[in-house]
Amino acid sequence: MGFFDMFKHKEQDPVPTQSQNFNSTSQQSVGILNLNKGDILDLTKVDEYLNNVRVSAGWDVNAYGQDYDLDLCAILLNEVNKVEYCVYYADKRYKGIRLDKDNLTGEGEGDDENIFVNLNKIPSSVSRIVFNVVIYRGAEKIQTLGNVKNAYVRLVDTERGEKEICRYSLSEDGGDNTAVEFAELVRTESGWQFHAIGNYMRADISSLCNQY
């Protein structure tokens, strides 16, 4: 689908335009925010006290019956766009952020992999956290995101009863790519923002980090 869905929205409400900033007023009047590539969600307007969030990915085996090993990872960048750390299946913890498990097949209901973020504990040197989903050894196994079934990523407020903030469906936009930079958390003077990226590519975790 290639967009974020937040809450439920009334049929008469307009869909926000690309690259629009969404504040608390627009959320109250619109009800749902369909964030397209390039849109920005100010988390301080969702909840000024929002601190603990979960970035989760889920998927199912594809239409051909193969198990796909999708890996959720987070690349932490400083103000000059250099990598400070990468949280992934082989290195699951850093200050204020952790990956809880590595699901190798996508079996089971609900979220398959989760990255928990305590926004207050992220080092002040970190300006951006880029979240990615990558098919493990996708090029070698000739597996692509276009063949993954029911793949999605969502952002959840873990302080308010596991309240889902937004969701991004990956399955229909994957094509022959093996990785997607789907979103990033960006630190601003007023707090954190959630940016929709949706940048698909042929890459693995190593090459994603090396591009910076």
Side-chain angles (χ1 to χ4, degrees):
M1 295 171 64
F3 57 83
F4 289 82
D5 294 319
M6 180 175 176
F7 311 119
K8 292 186 176 179
H9 101 129
K10 301 175 183 177
E11 292 183 358
Q12 67 269 26
D13 291 330
V15 177
T17 57
Q18 188 172 355
S19 300
Q20 180 176 349
N21 285 285
F22 297 96
N23 56 32
S24 57
T25 302
S26 66
Q27 288 182 34
Q28 291 170 1
S29 60
V30 175
I32 185 175
L33 299 180
N34 293 324
L35 305 188
N36 295 291
K37 183 176 180 178
D39 284 345
I40 298 170
L41 175 61
D42 188 343
L43 296 185
T44 65
K45 303 301 182 181
V46 174
D47 183 342
E48 63 179 314
Y49 301 109
L50 183 63
N51 183 39
N52 289 291
V53 296
R54 170 164 58 90
V55 179
S56 302
W59 68 95
D60 295 324
V61 293
N62 76 341
Y64 305 103
Q66 294 178 304
D67 289 338
Y68 272 47
D69 180 5
L70 271 63
D71 292 315
L72 182 59
C73 71
I75 301 174
L76 288 76
L77 303 170
N78 62 23
E79 62 181 7
V80 294
N81 217 35
K82 298 297 182 182
V83 177
E84 287 217 352
Y85 212 81
C86 179
V87 174
Y88 70 114
Y89 61 85
D91 198 351
K92 297 180 179 179
R93 287 180 177 270
Y94 191 58
K95 301 171 184 177
I97 184 169
R98 66 179 176 88
L99 173 69
D100 71 337
K101 61 181 178 180
D102 180 21
N103 188 318
L104 302 179
T105 66
E107 277 193 274
E109 298 295 325
D111 303 327
D112 293 305
E113 295 194 10
N114 305 281
I115 289 181
F116 294 86
V117 185
N118 184 317
L119 298 172
N120 285 341
K121 292 185 178 180
I122 297 297
S124 59
S125 58
V126 174
S127 296
R128 294 195 293 142
I129 307 173
V130 183
F131 296 95
N132 311 269
V133 170
V134 182
I135 300 177
Y136 177 67
R137 297 169 63 183
E140 178 183 332
K141 294 184 290 185
I142 317 179
Q143 294 181 341
T144 65
L145 287 173
N147 288 329
V148 175
K149 183 180 179 182
N150 300 326
Y152 67 86
V153 178
R154 66 192 190 115
L155 181 68
V156 177
D157 177 356
T158 60
E159 292 183 351
R160 306 292 186 270
E162 291 290 301
K163 178 181 179 182
E164 182 173 300
I165 299 172
C166 54
R167 176 181 291 257
Y168 187 14
S169 176
L170 302 176
S171 298
E172 297 181 15
D173 290 338
D176 61 355
N177 296 291
T178 58
V180 56
E181 293 178 328
F182 61 85
E184 64 181 356
L185 283 168
V186 178
R187 191 196 299 270
T188 70
E189 291 184 359
S190 60
W192 290 90
Q193 295 179 343
F194 193 66
H195 293 201
I197 301 177
N199 182 24
Y200 291 88
M201 66 194 79
R202 297 182 184 181
D204 55 21
I205 293 175
S206 178
S207 61
L208 285 173
C209 290
N210 289 337
Q211 70 179 322
Y212 296 104

